[in-house]
């Protein structure tokens, strides 16, 4: 997702969040061309990762990690995502 978003929208900053140092190394290698437009955060979804992002987000995406959470953990995550979202205007993002 991040590679597609960053390549299509030159004015966006993205946050990569995962708990795996192995995945971090892969992401840093793949996204290196975007420089400081990507910030890397090591955190599980259950931890308060949102506290490490200073601004509100226009979009929050997940590839496949959420399905591993239990129902209560999902509810908590969705609530925290909603609270982290910028509820103002946002340009549409269409991914194919």
């Amino acid at each position: 997702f991040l590679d597609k978003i960053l390549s299509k929208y030159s004015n966006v900053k993205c946050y990569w969040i995962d708990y795996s140092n192995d995945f971090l190394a892969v992401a840093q290698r793949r996204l290196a061309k975007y420089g400081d437009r990507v910030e890397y955060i090591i955190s599980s979804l259950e931890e308060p990762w949102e506290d490490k992002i200073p601004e509100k987000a226009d979009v929050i995406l997940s590839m496949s990690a959420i399905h591993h959470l239990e129902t209560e953990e999902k509810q908590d995550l969705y609530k925290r995502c909603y609270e982290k979202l910028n509820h103002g205007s946002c340009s549409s993002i269409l991914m194919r």
Side-chain angles (χ1 to χ4, degrees), residues 1-91:
F1 279 151
L2 294 187
D3 188 34
K4 288 183 179 185
I5 291 168
L6 290 160
S7 67
K8 185 169 176 118
Y9 302 97
S10 60
N11 62 334
V12 253
K13 177 172 183 168
C14 293
Y15 294 86
W16 175 95
I17 302 167
D18 199 294
Y19 63 90
S20 168
N21 284 314
D22 292 334
F23 287 158
L24 171 63
V26 172
Q28 287 175 321
R29 190 171 54 251
R30 285 183 162 175
L31 302 172
K33 61 187 169 192
Y34 301 110
D36 64 355
R37 292 179 53 213
V38 182
E39 187 169 325
Y40 302 91
I41 298 172
I42 294 290
S43 178
S44 71
L45 295 177
E46 299 90 341
E47 296 172 5
W49 53 266
E50 67 276 12
D51 293 345
K52 299 175 183 176
I53 301 173
E55 61 270 344
K56 295 280 188 171
D58 291 321
V59 177
I60 298 175
L61 303 169
S62 173
M63 286 285 295
S64 61
I66 294 174
H67 78 275
H68 293 291
L69 301 177
E70 298 296 326
T71 300
E72 289 180 5
E73 293 169 327
K74 287 178 188 174
Q75 290 172 339
D76 178 61
L77 174 64
Y78 291 141
K79 179 180 183 248
R80 291 184 292 126
C81 286
Y82 181 80
E83 291 170 353
K84 193 63 181 177
L85 283 171
N86 175 11
H87 296 286
S89 63
C90 173
S91 300

